[in-house]
Amino acid sequence: MQNDTRIEQGGAIFLILLGLVILEIIWNWRKDKKAYDIRDTLANLAIFLGFQLSKVLFFGFQYAIMGYLSQFTLFHFKSTPLVFLISFVAVDFVYYWYHRLSHKIKLLWAFHLVHHSSLFMNLTVSYRLNWLSALLTPFVVAPLILIGLPFEFIAASFGLNLLYQFFLHTEAVGKLGFIEGLLATPSAHRVHHGSNEQYIDKNFGGVFMMWDRWFGTYQPETIKPTYGVTTGFISNNPFVLVFKGFVDYFKGKMDYKG
């Protein structure tokens, strides 16, 4: 019964997100914003489907690693609303550093490259995620498991963090006043995806911008971003996009950023 409820909730969320994509496509067409390209969008959809499949394939691996780590927890926090709030903030803090390191460590950039490879900014780009990234997730959240935060709270917070980021990948929303610099916004995330020199390696927060402000990586949007990596167009082939970072890593050719 619980699994059926989760499937229904997942289906409802998917339909809502699909509806928003359709609305953005209509906005793009009516305003002639050129935020979509059919080949790029088809590549995004193919990568999204592959990513969903990868979550199923790697679930056992993730569960085994996190189950093993849970044996060494330092504390055992109760499942209360306050602990959930702490878990949510802690997940975003860990995500900030993982995201930042993904732009600095070449092996992690090999995983992350696909997300920055699009020359466009629209909602479908949000799930342009590496099919092998599920291999990293248990190690990203390992500190939180070892501290003793409830695993279900960590998983839920990570899922909500990624869901929130879906709404950041758009040009349909301008700056949001006083919220800028406090929360991650579409404007702040457009900066993150910009390959302009002043935008590279900025705005890593998933939900909160306080980490970027505290650690010196915050940058407001001042000029229109040029999207993609610094070397420009890569491909519309989803397999090339997903694995190019690894190929370049082993060839020692990762001299570009996004």
Side-chain angles (χ1 to χ4, degrees), residues 49-119:
L49 292 174
F51 179 72
Q52 298 306 309
L53 177 61
S54 73
K55 290 198 297 184
V56 175
L57 294 176
F58 293 124
F59 176 79
F61 169 80
Q62 291 180 316
Y63 188 83
I65 295 296
M66 289 186 283
Y68 176 76
L69 292 174
S70 66
Q71 301 177 71
F72 306 100
T73 55
L74 298 176
F75 308 99
H76 295 281
F77 293 94
K78 294 182 179 180
S79 296
T80 66
L82 177 60
V83 172
F84 179 79
L85 178 61
I86 293 171
S87 299
F88 187 82
V89 175
V91 163
D92 197 60
F93 177 73
V94 169
Y95 175 82
Y96 168 85
W97 283 106
Y98 163 62
H99 194 182
R100 185 171 177 176
L101 292 175
S102 293
H103 283 248
K104 296 296 185 182
I105 298 175
K106 290 185 177 180
L107 180 58
L108 293 181
W109 176 244
F111 285 86
H112 194 50
L113 166 65
V114 60
H115 189 65
H116 282 266
S117 59
S118 177
L119 302 182

Side-chain angles (χ1 to χ4, degrees), residues 172-233:
V173 179
K175 290 192 174 184
L176 297 177
F178 73 92
I179 295 177
E180 299 294 338
L182 298 177
L183 296 177
T185 64
S187 175
H189 205 64
R190 287 193 292 269
V191 167
H192 178 69
H193 275 259
S195 59
N196 315 63
E197 184 177 356
Q198 65 267 46
Y199 288 168
I200 291 176
D201 294 344
K202 301 296 183 181
N203 300 354
F204 296 107
V207 175
F208 302 110
M209 280 287 102
M210 57 187 177
W211 318 123
D212 289 282
R213 283 190 171 278
W214 291 352
F215 300 116
T217 54
Y218 178 66
Q219 169 65 48
E221 185 179 27
T222 54
I223 62 173
K224 182 176 175 57
T226 299
Y227 303 115
V229 295
T230 52
T231 50
F233 177 72

